[in-house]
Amino acid sequence: MNSAVTSPIAVSTLLDRLLPVGDSMFAKSMRAMLLTVVCAQLLWVSAKMQVPFWPVPMTMQTYAILTIAGLAGWRIGLATVTLYLAQGAIGMPVFAGTPEKGIGLAYMVGPTGGYLVGFMLAAVLAGLCSEIRGKLRFISVVLGMIAAHVIVFVPGIAWLSAFMGFEGALMFNITNFWLATILKTALAIATVYGVWQLTGGERKAKPAAE
């Protein structure tokens, strides 16, 4: 008796559409390493951007993290943030406020150190929610990106509490960052899902080989 066998749906990322390299593991590895280096420098640039905003100027760093991970996947997203943090740890002025507010490990254990941990968590969440399993679901991207951005503040507020108390740290973040968080999350969602639509949407999804 013959039984129908359903092929599993390939899990891929939007990177496979934007920069296809075929099935070669060597080519994929080289692409991942190159993108990790390039994207880490983009995080550096995004940290230095001071966009006039209310109630305080904002950087585009969290938008960059969510978008990079959303397009390239959680592995490259996490590798990018890890390399970025390693550059900061050895004294490169990659963080917002450096070198004016210190550099290296001294800066990383300062009041904003918790957010750096949050960046890694955000990259993983943003990448996972944007994986393509036959189709990229809009609701998955929306909820995942919101969760990814919010999780940045969990270790951020927890660490900052050691310097100004929990209530003070919580109110500081809510008062200063709520509107920028909404805006940058919405931009990341629009970017990732927009690329999905511009590259053909569900029509280009391919099943995995048997």
Side-chain angles (χ1 to χ4, degrees):
M1 181 176 65
N2 294 329
S3 59
V5 178
T6 303
S7 298
I9 297 298
V11 176
S12 62
T13 68
L14 288 168
L15 177 64
D16 295 316
R17 296 182 175 190
L18 296 171
L19 293 173
V21 293
D23 296 325
S24 168
M25 289 304 299
F26 175 77
K28 288 183 176 182
S29 297
M30 293 300 296
R31 180 185 65 178
M33 288 189 290
L34 177 61
L35 279 174
T36 296
V37 173
V38 171
C39 289
Q41 311 323 306
L42 290 178
L43 286 188
W44 183 345
V45 173
S46 69
K48 299 299 184 178
M49 294 177 65
Q50 289 288 326
V51 180
F53 203 64
W54 181 88
V56 296
M58 68 176 180
T59 71
M60 297 304 292
Q61 197 167 20
T62 47
Y63 165 74
I65 291 169
L66 297 182
T67 302
I68 289 168
L71 295 177
W74 73 267
R75 292 177 179 84
I76 292 179
L78 179 59
T80 294
V81 176
T82 302
L83 176 58
Y84 170 72
L85 297 181
Q87 290 175 327
I90 63 175
M92 297 175 68
V94 299
F95 304 127
T98 57
E100 297 83 5
K101 297 179 180 179
I103 58 174
L105 293 176
Y107 176 92
M108 296 178 74
V109 298
T112 60
Y115 302 103
L116 303 179
V117 176
F119 290 166
M120 301 178 73
L121 301 176
V124 173
L125 269 180
L128 288 174
C129 80
S130 303
E131 285 183 345
I132 301 170
R133 297 179 176 86
K135 181 178 181 179
L136 185 64
R137 299 187 181 278
F138 181 69
I139 189 64
S140 173
V141 176
V142 171
L143 296 180
M145 288 294 184
I146 292 173
H149 208 151
V150 169
I151 205 170
V152 172
F153 294 99
V154 175
I157 292 173
W159 185 261
L160 187 59
S161 296
F163 296 85
M164 56 193 307
F166 176 75
E167 184 175 349
L170 181 63
M171 292 309 300
F172 174 83
N173 281 268
I174 292 175
T175 302
N176 290 293
F177 304 135
W178 69 272
L179 187 56
T181 297
I182 293 173
L183 175 61
K184 287 185 282 188
T185 303
L187 286 174
I189 293 168
T191 302
V192 171
Y193 203 76
V195 169
W196 160 260
Q197 293 294 339
L198 290 172
T199 55
E202 191 176 3
R203 291 173 296 176
K204 289 193 176 182
K206 298 188 297 183
E210 295 182 12

